[in-house]
Each structure stands twice: as C-alpha cells, then as structure tokens.
Amino acid sequence: MSDPMNVLAPEHRRLRIGDAWRDAASGATFAVEDPATGKTIAEVADADVVDGLAALEVASKAMAGWAATPPRKRSELLTATYRALTERSEEVARLITLEMGKPLAEARGEVAYGAEFFRWFAEEAVRVEGRYSSAPAGGYRILTVPKPVGPCVFVTPWNFPLAMGARKIAPALAAGCTTITKPAAQTPLTMLFLARIMEEVGVPPGVVNVVTTKRAGEVVSALLVDSRTRKLSFTGSTEVGRVLLRQAADNVLRTSMELGGNAALIVCADADLDVALDGAMVAKMRNIGESCIAANRIYVEESVREEFTARFAARMGALSVGHGLDEGVDVGALIDEASVTKLDELVADAVDRGARVLVGGERPDGPGHFYPPTVLVDVPEDARMLEAEIFGPVAPILSFTSDDEVMAKANDTEYGLVGYIFTRDLQRALRFTEGLDTGMIGINRGLISDPSAPFGGVKQSGIGKEGSHEGILEYLDLTYAAIDLP
C-alpha cells in the first residue's frame, strides 16, 4: 500500500499565505496523528496571531483584483479545481482516511461530494444578477448591483476535512471574495492539499490562504476584530458558534453558522421497512456517525418496533471495525480519545438509568480511537444521549404510538438541523415536514447532503445556507441605486 503522505511534500505542510508556503513566524509546529494508530504522521506549521494577520493582509490586497476578475475566468478556475480533485481522487481520499480515520470508501465519497461544490459554483459564478426596474410610483428607476462582501474567514471542522472547506471556498471565490481558512488542528493536511491543487490550477496568490494552528481561539479572534475581515463562516459546535457570533458582532460581520444537531429519525408503521433500514443505516453510520446530520434519536412506531430493532441491530453488529485504509473495513477510528470517552460515558449513563445494550457498548482493547457500532433500547427520557450530540456509532431506539407524540419529542431540543421521516403516506410525510422544527428533512432517505440543495438549520443549529443558489448569496452584498428618470 502506497504512503498517502507522499502526495503532500514537506514544503506544502506549511502555511499558505499569498504566493508562498511559509513557516510560522515563531517557527512552531504541531503533530498530526493517525487516529487508528495514535502515531504521528506529519508536523505542520503552528500559526500565531502574526501569521493570521499576515494572511488577512494578503487577502485584503488581493480582494480588488479578484473581485474585478471576469466571472467566466473565476468559473473556469473553479471548474479546473473540480477536475483536478476528480483526477486525484484516490490520493485525496487516502490522505483524508489517514488523518481523520474514516474508511477509504467513505473518504472517496467525500472527495466526490467536495469536488462537486467547485463544479456547482463554477456554474453559479456566471449567474450573479442584479435588476433594473421602474419604481412603482414612477419618476425614477431602481438598480440593484450585487458585490462581493470582502475578505472571508473560514473555520472548518475535522469530520469532513475536504468537503466543509470546499462548500465555503467555492461560493466565496465564485462571488469574487478572497479567503482565509483555519482548518481543524486534527485534520489540516487535506486543506493544505486543496490549497496546493488550487495553486496548481492557477488561482491567483492571496485568494486562497490556509492558516494551520493549535491556537485557534487567539488567531481567529484577531481576525474577527480586524476591520478588513467582512465575513465569517463556521462549521462546528453550537457552543463555539455562540462565542464566534459574539466576537463577530463588534464589527457587524456577515456570518454563516452551521452548528450542532440532534436529529430524530422517525419510522412509521406504514413505512417500507427495507427502505427504512437502509436509510437508518446511512443516517446513523455515514462518516462513522461523526456528522452533525447523523440520526441521534431513532423513533419507531410501536407496532413495528420489535422487527425494526432486531434487523437494525443485526446490521449494526455485522459491521467490521478497523483501520480505514484496510480492505473491507466499514467503521474506522474516531477522531481522538475524547470522542471515545464521551461515547463510553453516554452509554454508561443510559445503562445506569435502565437502558439495555443489544450490540456493542464496549470499546475494544488495543491502540487507536475505536468504538463499536452500538444499539440501545429501553432508553429513558432523561438519558444524556437523548440531549447530547452523540457524534459516533451509537444508536438509541425509542418507540412511539402517535404522530403528535413523536413530533413533540422530536422538537424537544434546542437544535433544529435535520429530521428523517419514513412513511408511505404522502399526507403524513407532509404533516411531518411542516411540523418538524428543522432546516432540512429527509423523506424515505437517509442521505440529504447535495451541493445543489440549501444546507442549514434553524434554532441553535445555525444561520444561513450552504450550497445551492442560496449559498452564493451569503457572499454578496447588494447596492441599490435610485436613478432619476422623469
């Protein structure tokens, strides 16, 4: 098996600022580990405030030139990025697996998904439009002109190290904005590789900057209080999102927030159980369950609960656990030890309160941050896992007897990102669609992410949308001109 690290030369494990790959000003570095072994796979530059502000300086200087670049040219560069990612898919996928832990098949899926944002927004880049119209009262004309918002700061998570950056960078560049991305310290290598690809296809210096750091709080804070920053987009926990929103308020920054979730997956008695099982497995186990849109609570109507539970537990128990680069592995390593400890504690809490474990429930011996696919039943309403974002391969199954009952339980959370409904009754599906307090709903399917669809939540799950036509609007300001024309 070839070494995935061979695709990222040592000189490209540094900060990407302007036209240079540079060491941190302090010379500091930090280690990136393979979560399946705990071994260090690379050292990358550890930026401080000086480096962050240097990136903002070049992004600010590059802003006017990039905004003035013809939309078709911006479109062509995004298309070239899509093609380069597609051609080098296997290299990128192996790098993702090595630093994040997901199985290689999952990583390949992420590359395809992430690359598609560049193709989608290449097409959107040439369709940014204003309007010209007569004022209703007459006497003058109304002209609206969309303009790029300005330099953008992106803070991206570790669970989708390519895709979460792609769905911010692609629309920003399409709109004419320059960018500074601070990837998660656990998974900086994929974003550095993306920056290298974009350099190779000809994206001008200063347009895409990447600052890797273990000192995220101080570096990002310095960027947000600087008046040259005009936009913040963050994907991560609601707790951190609240902090960043408070910091962004001082400069009244445009913000996009894709925050936590507590998704309910509802299986009605009239559902096709084969479809529901397939959907539940995807919604729960995609990305090892380390996803904000993962099914957190599975509600099954009482008359089919026993059959669904038995079949779901059998499928969960049949999944193989191991290093994501090994052949035939279904479930890779979790990102770090804290994630494993959290799952241990959530399962122990549920069991202490009366829940029963049908499958899994105990971490294996040996190196790496592994946790087995786990199914629990008889989970009481006060169990912590029903309120917390599980973020791992643990599935509590609960029963319900009426739509009103399960709707109320599904909505009884501060989050509102996504819900899943399985039913063959169209009217029932529409009632759930209108009644669930979520930004997205999967009806008879467990996979909802699509670059052509608006991704985002309500309540404490976020602000704004990513993907779709709405996604580019997050990076545009609108100037209105009143033109006298008697």
Side-chain angles (χ1 to χ4, degrees), residues 304-371:
V304 295
R305 177 187 56 82
E306 185 174 344
E307 179 184 355
F308 177 91
T309 300
R311 294 175 64 184
F312 182 75
R315 291 182 64 166
M316 288 282 279
L319 297 175
S320 62
V321 179
H323 197 298
L325 291 177
D326 291 344
E327 193 71 30
V329 167
D330 300 307
V331 181
L334 300 182
I335 190 64
D336 55 25
E337 187 60 26
S339 297
V340 179
T341 300
K342 173 185 173 181
L343 295 185
D344 257 341
E345 291 174 349
L346 289 177
V347 170
D349 170 77
V351 170
D352 287 345
R353 297 173 190 271
R356 291 186 296 116
V357 175
L358 297 186
V359 173
E362 294 184 5
R363 65 173 300 172
D365 295 329
H369 312 305
F370 293 97
Y371 201 85

Side-chain angles (χ1 to χ4, degrees), residues 233-468:
S233 181
F234 169 72
T235 298
S237 72
T238 296
E239 292 75 17
V240 174
R242 293 188 189 112
V243 172
L244 293 177
L245 281 169
R246 285 191 287 269
Q247 294 176 347
D250 286 341
N251 276 337
V252 195
L253 297 184
R254 287 279 295 273
T255 58
S256 300
M257 294 276 151
E258 197 271 280
L259 307 177
N262 187 6
L265 185 145
I266 299 168
V267 180
C268 300
D270 60 23
D272 182 322
L273 283 193
D274 291 332
V275 171
L277 284 162
D278 288 343
M281 289 298 296
V282 171
K284 177 68 258 184
M285 292 304 295
R286 182 184 179 222
N287 213 56
I288 327 173
E290 293 176 312
S291 169
C292 57
I293 59 172
N296 219 52
R297 299 164 291 157
I298 299 177
Y299 293 97
V300 185
E301 197 161 3
E302 179 58 34
S303 61
V304 295
R305 177 187 56 82
E306 185 174 344
E307 179 184 355
F308 177 91
T309 300
R311 294 175 64 184
F312 182 75
R315 291 182 64 166
M316 288 282 279
L319 297 175
S320 62
V321 179
H323 197 298
L325 291 177
D326 291 344
E327 193 71 30
V329 167
D330 300 307
V331 181
L334 300 182
I335 190 64
D336 55 25
E337 187 60 26
S339 297
V340 179
T341 300
K342 173 185 173 181
L343 295 185
D344 257 341
E345 291 174 349
L346 289 177
V347 170
D349 170 77
V351 170
D352 287 345
R353 297 173 190 271
R356 291 186 296 116
V357 175
L358 297 186
V359 173
E362 294 184 5
R363 65 173 300 172
D365 295 329
H369 312 305
F370 293 97
Y371 201 85
T374 298
V375 179
L376 299 97
V377 294
D378 302 331
V379 180
E381 295 291 338
D382 60 352
R384 286 172 49 208
M385 70 170 54
L386 300 186
E387 298 180 357
E389 189 173 21
I390 293 172
F391 233 67
V394 174
I397 296 181
L398 307 102
S399 66
F400 72 94
T401 56
S402 75
D403 290 0
D404 288 343
E405 171 201 1
V406 75
M407 193 103 67
K409 289 179 177 179
N411 287 337
D412 187 19
T413 174
E414 66 180 3
Y415 300 107
L417 188 56
V418 66
Y420 301 93
I421 310 300
F422 290 86
T423 176
R424 283 184 277 201
D425 185 329
L426 176 59
Q427 290 183 330
R428 196 176 195 183
L430 291 175
R431 283 195 297 270
F432 275 111
T433 299
E434 294 185 5
L436 288 176
D437 297 332
T438 60
M440 302 175 289
I441 295 176
I443 300 175
N444 293 324
R445 63 182 288 117
L447 181 62
I448 61 161
S449 299
D450 190 315
S452 66
F455 189 106
V458 298
K459 300 196 297 188
Q460 299 282 324
S461 285
I463 300 169
K465 300 296 182 182
E466 294 188 305
S468 74

Side-chain angles (χ1 to χ4, degrees), residues 13-361:
R13 302 173 197 175
R14 301 186 288 178
L15 310 177
R16 175 62 182 177
I17 298 177
D19 62 356
W21 294 87
R22 61 172 80 171
D23 294 327
S26 66
T29 63
F30 65 90
V32 181
E33 74 165 33
D34 175 355
T37 64
K39 295 179 179 179
T40 296
I41 55 176
E43 293 279 342
V44 299
D46 189 4
D48 60 17
V49 169
V50 171
D51 301 302
L53 294 178
L56 181 56
E57 174 72 12
V58 300
S60 299
K61 288 181 176 179
M63 182 64 216
W66 182 245
T69 299
R72 178 62 66 193
K73 177 62 175 177
R74 298 200 298 265
S75 173
E76 289 168 350
L77 289 169
L78 292 173
T79 299
T81 303
Y82 161 76
R83 288 174 177 159
L85 283 170
T86 302
E87 290 167 0
R88 304 185 69 176
S89 173
E90 193 67 12
E91 296 171 89
V92 185
R94 286 182 173 275
L95 188 60
I96 290 172
T97 292
L98 192 64
E99 68 172 344
M100 184 267 161
K102 71 180 71 179
L104 190 54
E106 291 256 12
R108 290 174 180 137
E110 181 183 345
V111 177
Y113 173 55
E116 193 63 30
F117 282 102
F118 289 101
R119 180 160 67 167
W120 174 265
F121 284 107
E123 296 162 346
E124 289 294 303
V126 296
R127 291 173 175 80
V128 174
E129 299 175 344
R131 66 183 176 91
Y132 177 80
S133 61
S134 298
Y140 70 98
R141 299 296 183 265
I142 294 170
L143 175 67
T144 61
V145 182
K147 301 176 182 178
V149 67
C152 303
V153 172
F154 299 146
V155 182
T156 59
W158 49 261
N159 57 338
F160 290 93
L162 175 72
M164 296 302 96
R167 76 180 187 188
K168 300 178 191 304
I169 293 171
L173 268 59
C177 298
T178 57
T179 67
I180 304 160
T181 302
K182 198 295 293 178
Q186 298 97 323
T187 57
L189 303 173
T190 303
M191 184 52 58
L192 291 171
F193 190 48
L194 175 61
R196 175 62 177 154
I197 284 177
M198 299 192 79
E199 176 190 32
E200 290 174 350
V201 302
V203 174
V207 175
V208 174
N209 305 280
V210 178
V211 177
T212 56
T213 181
K214 292 277 280 189
R215 293 168 278 191
E218 61 187 76
V219 173
V220 174
S221 293
L223 293 172
L224 298 187
V225 301
D226 193 299
S227 62
R228 293 172 294 183
T229 298
R230 295 312 313 144
K231 163 83 180 182
L232 165 67
S233 181
F234 169 72
T235 298
S237 72
T238 296
E239 292 75 17
V240 174
R242 293 188 189 112
V243 172
L244 293 177
L245 281 169
R246 285 191 287 269
Q247 294 176 347
D250 286 341
N251 276 337
V252 195
L253 297 184
R254 287 279 295 273
T255 58
S256 300
M257 294 276 151
E258 197 271 280
L259 307 177
N262 187 6
L265 185 145
I266 299 168
V267 180
C268 300
D270 60 23
D272 182 322
L273 283 193
D274 291 332
V275 171
L277 284 162
D278 288 343
M281 289 298 296
V282 171
K284 177 68 258 184
M285 292 304 295
R286 182 184 179 222
N287 213 56
I288 327 173
E290 293 176 312
S291 169
C292 57
I293 59 172
N296 219 52
R297 299 164 291 157
I298 299 177
Y299 293 97
V300 185
E301 197 161 3
E302 179 58 34
S303 61
V304 295
R305 177 187 56 82
E306 185 174 344
E307 179 184 355
F308 177 91
T309 300
R311 294 175 64 184
F312 182 75
R315 291 182 64 166
M316 288 282 279
L319 297 175
S320 62
V321 179
H323 197 298
L325 291 177
D326 291 344
E327 193 71 30
V329 167
D330 300 307
V331 181
L334 300 182
I335 190 64
D336 55 25
E337 187 60 26
S339 297
V340 179
T341 300
K342 173 185 173 181
L343 295 185
D344 257 341
E345 291 174 349
L346 289 177
V347 170
D349 170 77
V351 170
D352 287 345
R353 297 173 190 271
R356 291 186 296 116
V357 175
L358 297 186
V359 173

